[in-house]
Each structure stands twice: as C-alpha cells, then as structure tokens.
C-alpha cells in the first residue's frame, strides 16, 4: 500500500514538473534567445514570409505591449499569426543569413535587468557553441534604460561567424528587445537599419484590458 502511494505521489510530482516546464519554457522562450535558433543562423524558419503570417510595413504599433517603431521602407516585416502579437521579424538577407527581430515578452524568469537577460543568453549559447567576443554597454531606448550587447558567435558545425547586436530593455516586468543577426561582411550596413529603428522607437499607452 505504501509503495503504491509513493508511486502516485511521484507521478503527481512528475506531471506538475512537466506542466511547469511547459509554462516556463513557452512563455519565457521569447524573453531569452534560443542558442541553436536565434544565434546560429537558422532564424527565421522556412515559410516565415508566407501566409498565415501577417505583413507589417511603415509605422508599427503594438498596443498590447505598449510600443511603436518604424519599419524602414522598402523593408517588409512579418508577424506570427498565432497567439498574441509581440513583435515582428525582417529578413535582410537569406544568404548569408541576416535577420532583425523585434520582440516583447513577460519576464517569467525574473531577470529584472537587461544584463540578467543577456547573461542567460550567453549561458544558453555556451551549452553548444563558442562566444568569441562579447561587448556590453548601457543603452537607453526612448529614455528607458537598458543595455546593448554585441556578441560574436562561432556555431558548432558552421563556418560562419555570426554577429548579434542585441538591445534589451526590461520595463514593468516585460522584456523588450531588438536583435540583429548578421555576419561580418554585412554588419556595417545592417546595423544602420537597427539604429534607425531604435531612433524611431516610442512607448505607447497599453491596450485595455491588458491581457496576454
């Protein structure tokens, strides 16, 4: 009887742990970069620029997360069709891969600071790949304090070196980030797009009710 009771308790704890992992991994995944995807040239996935994903151009307003930003012409951004819209992505080049993503997400891991988010990114990268160089600086987005992190990554099994220019602001327990993925031969031009978007960023009133 005692053995059966222990088995029931263990099964219950296992289910609870699995549920917590699903919640934390799915909600928090957008708050931190995934080492194999965000940092190793596999973003965006195939079909990113096809329906049902939504086209975004011009002035982009996200009332759910309270921000707006310009998408420079003639670039076209795409937003995922499923779930609450947190931001969008722009393909600057398919080969070599260059991509700029704008994202907002709840800080489920309670990182509190931009540096905390970035440290978690670095830990994820180092599980499989090599950080060749990492430069960090204080940076403000529309007067909201955050950080800017330029990281060079050598991915396992990939000859390319990827440069990630990541701007992060943690505001009201939300992680806002603009992340440029580029390669050395493109970076000088691609970073101009990121800088233009940063200059255009504005904080907006939140949509009511504020539900995510």
């Amino acid at each position: 009887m005692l053995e059966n009771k222990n088995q029931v308790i263990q099964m219950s704890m296992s289910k609870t742990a699995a549920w917590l992992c699903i919640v934390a991994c799915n909600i928090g995944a957008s708050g931190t970069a995934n080492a194999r995807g965000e940092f190793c040239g596999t973003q965006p996935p195939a079909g990113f620029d096809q329906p049902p994903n939504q086209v975004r151009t011009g002035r982009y307003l996200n009332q759910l997360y309270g921000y707006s930003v310009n998408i420079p012409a003639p670039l076209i951004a795409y937003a995922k069709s499923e779930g609450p819209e947190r931001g969008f992505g722009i393909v600057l080049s398919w080969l070599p891969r260059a991509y700029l993503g704008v994202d907002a997400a709840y800080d489920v891991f309670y990182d509190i600071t931009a540096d905390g988010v970035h440290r978690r990114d670095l830990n994820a990268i180092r599980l499989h790949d090599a950080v060749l160089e990492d430069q960090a600086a204080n940076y403000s987005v529309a007067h909201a304090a955050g950080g800017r992190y330029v990281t060079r990554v050598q991915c396992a099994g990939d000859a390319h070196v990827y440069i990630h220019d990541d701007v992060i602001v943690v505001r009201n327990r939300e992680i806002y980030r603009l992340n440029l993925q580029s390669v050395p031969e493109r970076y000088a031009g691609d970073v101009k797009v990121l800088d233009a978007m940063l200059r255009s960023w504005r904080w907006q009133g939140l949509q009511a009710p504020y539900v995510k």
Side-chain angles (χ1 to χ4, degrees), residues 16-86:
T16 301
W19 179 84
L20 288 173
C21 180
I22 290 170
V23 172
C25 293
N26 287 321
I27 295 177
S30 56
T32 189
N34 178 279
R36 304 308 299 171
E38 300 270 347
F39 282 97
C40 287
T42 60
Q43 289 282 29
F48 162 82
D49 55 352
Q50 301 295 322
N53 287 350
Q54 304 294 310
V55 171
R56 300 288 183 261
T57 57
R59 188 71 187 175
Y60 173 84
L61 172 63
N62 189 312
Q63 290 184 310
L64 184 61
Y65 285 91
Y67 71 91
S68 66
V69 65
N70 281 343
I71 299 169
L75 296 175
I76 299 174
Y78 294 88
K80 292 181 179 179
S81 59
E82 71 275 8
E85 187 169 317
R86 300 192 304 258

Side-chain angles (χ1 to χ4, degrees), residues 9-208:
I9 292 173
Q10 289 173 357
M11 290 176 62
S12 177
M13 290 175 66
S14 177
K15 290 179 180 179
T16 301
W19 179 84
L20 288 173
C21 180
I22 290 170
V23 172
C25 293
N26 287 321
I27 295 177
S30 56
T32 189
N34 178 279
R36 304 308 299 171
E38 300 270 347
F39 282 97
C40 287
T42 60
Q43 289 282 29
F48 162 82
D49 55 352
Q50 301 295 322
N53 287 350
Q54 304 294 310
V55 171
R56 300 288 183 261
T57 57
R59 188 71 187 175
Y60 173 84
L61 172 63
N62 189 312
Q63 290 184 310
L64 184 61
Y65 285 91
Y67 71 91
S68 66
V69 65
N70 281 343
I71 299 169
L75 296 175
I76 299 174
Y78 294 88
K80 292 181 179 179
S81 59
E82 71 275 8
E85 187 169 317
R86 300 192 304 258
F88 56 83
I90 301 172
V91 174
L92 302 177
S93 169
W94 282 106
L95 189 67
R97 188 69 60 89
Y99 176 74
L100 198 159
V102 176
D103 186 74
Y106 183 67
D107 181 15
V108 68
F109 293 109
Y110 213 78
D111 286 308
I112 302 299
T113 66
D115 282 349
V117 176
H118 182 62
R119 281 194 300 271
R120 185 152 45 85
D121 289 344
L122 292 179
N123 290 338
I125 296 169
R126 287 169 174 148
L127 289 175
H128 303 283
D129 307 297
V131 175
L132 302 180
E133 183 181 6
D134 185 58
Q135 298 178 351
N138 294 330
Y139 195 90
S140 294
V141 178
H143 306 294
R148 186 163 183 170
Y149 310 91
V150 180
T151 308
R152 288 176 177 259
V153 179
Q154 179 70 69
C155 296
D158 192 332
H160 285 102
V161 170
Y162 294 97
I163 300 177
H164 289 269
D165 195 333
D166 199 15
V167 178
I168 303 171
V169 171
V170 180
R171 187 171 182 260
N172 300 327
R173 288 294 309 278
E174 307 290 351
I175 300 171
Y176 298 86
R177 64 195 304 164
L178 295 88
N179 179 263
L180 170 65
Q181 171 194 287
S182 188
V183 291
E185 59 267 31
R186 287 191 54 95
Y187 176 71
D190 292 340
V191 74
K192 294 178 181 178
V193 180
L194 172 61
D195 288 338
M197 293 181 67
L198 287 165
R199 289 192 296 269
S200 75
W201 188 282
R202 298 292 182 272
W203 302 107
Q204 306 287 343
L206 295 172
Q207 184 183 58

